[in-house]
Every structure is written in C-alpha cells, then in structure tokens.
Amino acid sequence: MFALIFQDITDPDDLDADLEQIQQVLKGNIESYSMDKRYYRKDVSLVWVNLTVSLVFDKEGPPKYFVSVIKDI
C-alpha cells in the first residue's frame, strides 16, 4: 500500500489553482484560502468539496504544517 498526497486525488483541472493559493499562503500574501474543487474518491468517481486551508507556524516563525478543512458539497 502506498500513501497518496492531495495532488494525486485532485482533479487536474483544479490543481493549478490550488497550488497557486498554497504559494500565496507560503509567501505570506494571504493567511488562508477557500475554494470549491473536485477530489477523486477511492472508486475514482469525483466529489465536489469546499476546501479551506491555513498554515500553522512554529514558535520561531517557520511554517510547520497546513491545516485543511474539507466539506462535501
């Protein structure tokens, strides 16, 4: 069994917009973002979700990890 990352399960038509928002968060231009996008389910069908993402920083300042909230719409 292998682990999947979000790029593996994101519809290709939605991936560039998601990656651009991530870059904006990492650059400090925005604190968080929300978007509607499509993910592939295990059975390869698509599901629309509302994704909200923010970045958690270490006490010393560097980024630690992302927090993502996914709502089935």
Side-chain angles (χ1 to χ4, degrees), residues 2-63:
F2 61 95
L4 297 174
I5 57 175
F6 81 91
Q7 291 96 328
D8 296 328
I9 61 171
T10 296
D11 185 287
D13 292 337
D14 300 332
L15 186 56
D16 287 343
D18 197 0
L19 293 173
E20 175 58 32
Q21 292 296 321
I22 288 172
Q23 288 303 310
Q24 294 300 312
V25 171
L26 288 170
K27 290 177 184 176
N29 295 335
I30 58 175
E31 289 184 16
S32 64
Y33 69 93
S34 292
M35 66 184 296
D36 292 343
K37 65 181 280 189
R38 293 159 288 186
Y39 279 124
Y40 286 105
R41 291 185 173 121
K42 194 173 189 177
D43 67 3
V44 193
S45 64
L46 285 172
V47 60
W48 277 98
V49 302
N50 177 266
L51 170 69
T52 301
V53 178
S54 61
L55 186 57
V56 175
F57 291 89
D58 190 279
K59 290 179 184 176
E60 286 78 42

